[in-house]
Amino acid sequence: MRLHTLLCLSLVSILPACQMMEPHSETAEQIDQEHEIAQEIATTCEQSGELADKAFDCEAADEGIIPVTHPKEEVEVEIAPEPIPMDVAAADVWQRVSQNLAFEFEDNARIASQRNWYLKHPAYMQRVAKRAKPFLYLIVERLEEENMPLELALLPIVESAFDPFAYSHGRAAGMWQFVPATGKRFGMKQTWWYDGRRDVMASTDGAIAYLRYLNEMFDGNWLHALAAYNSGEGRVARAIKKNKKLGKSTEYWALDLPKETRAYVPKLLALADILRDAEKYSFSWPIIENIKVTEMVDVGSQIDLALAADMAGLSVEALHALNPGYNRWATDPDGPFNLLVPVDKVEKFSEAIAATETKERLNWVRHKIKSGDSLLKLAHKYHTTTDIISQVNELKGNVIRAGEYLVIPVALKSMDFYSLSQDQRLADTQSKHKSGTYQVKHQVKSGDTMWDISRKYKVNMRSLAKWNGMAPTDTLRPGKELVVWLKGKDGKKHSDAVIRTLTYTVRGGDSLARIAQKFKVNVSDLVAWNQISTQKYLQPGQKLKIKVDVTRT
């Protein structure tokens, strides 16, 4: 399990032992225990002091928190709901939920603590409501259809603040925060093109299936089921078994669980309590009309999201915000082909789709193969996959010949238009001025780990992961390019720095120290930029990459 790897990498003194041990395979139960990471990191922090603090966010871990990243600014999607019919029981969808709450519980200090936080932060609920507005009605409808408690409509507030792009350092993604294995286990397809964990309706169906499974596993006890959703069914089952053996109560409140899980269920119950007695607490829940404002349309085949956006009368960014499951510039060629659009756009969109043949839903380029071309190189150039190029061109293998032609599907617009695609979100994350004056690129080699790379560049491991939109435990694949933010030679950050990259040809008599002095940079920087060893002599004619702040050189 990645937890073992994470803890091993955190302590230099035990690295040899870690390398000798084979990590456990990712079984469903082990993956469900990802949230134990925070508790384990806290223990490591206590034992290892400054070393661990450089690698992890010890303060957050001590509070039992696995941070959730919201990688994009809010995207405002214009939605024009129709007037609410007179026969609708509740004019507000929150009111609809409050009228059908099912959990019975006694108030206690743990619930009160969470309730006080929400009551003191009304602006937080305003942000949550803005994210929830396009989806909440559909989620509540789906819960009602499946005869599930409507308290579960509040769970995405606890998990992700209703952000479908949320990503935790435990590798959980989406509004309902599924880790990869559990997502697949409950029907969420995950490919290069598409991630069902971020697809709001697909992940809602998966969450319902998982919660129903947990509820049945724990004999109808919803508090046990919710705790298991957070920390894994194995963890909760062992806590119950332990209490039984000791003759203690097995109710949720008496179980020995991780800090995060001990706070998790009270958060949901606190929200339910505030919603039920909003007048008592003088708390104004932001209004979300109790009427469908978005609708799913099946387009039937792969389509460029820019073309679909034009058909629907939306910006690409707005369409992607409603359909965050799509990783790239188009829907998955193998489906799903569903797109969520505002209800007032459905008729126009459906008519445009019906009038557009399948072959016209993508843009195509006829590429003449040149010497040095490969399927991998072309896939990278045209933002697609080798499988798609092979399939479209009916290739038998990976060999392509110079002078021949390939037909390749390409994006209708430049990649900048697909600002919420995975590639563009990563580029945006990597380009932001984080904690250094300039960035260097590190191409992952076989055997590289986050720990190795963070030590090589003398940066915080968690920061390195965050700069690249990853979790510290994510697998590094050879060839992947990571961004590393470094500080200037004086250790200060210069917001006005203008960094330029130049190529220097080594001359006879040159040394790293002499070149560094000439360009006013550090020897360590030269080594990092060029991934060279200080033990080897420079050769005349050798090319070196140098990052120069032109405002200070």
Side-chain angles (χ1 to χ4, degrees), residues 367 369-380 386 389 398-400 406:
H367 178 91
I369 302 170
K370 302 179 182 68
S371 178
D373 277 350
S374 67
L375 287 181
L376 189 62
K377 183 177 178 180
L378 294 178
H380 182 73
T386 56
I389 298 175
N398 294 324
V399 178
I400 55 177
L406 293 173

Side-chain angles (χ1 to χ4, degrees), residues 425-440:
R425 285 186 289 112
L426 175 57
D428 181 63
T429 297
Q430 290 180 329
S431 67
K432 285 179 180 175
H433 206 270
K434 297 289 184 178
S435 59
T437 55
Y438 60 89
Q439 60 172 235
V440 296

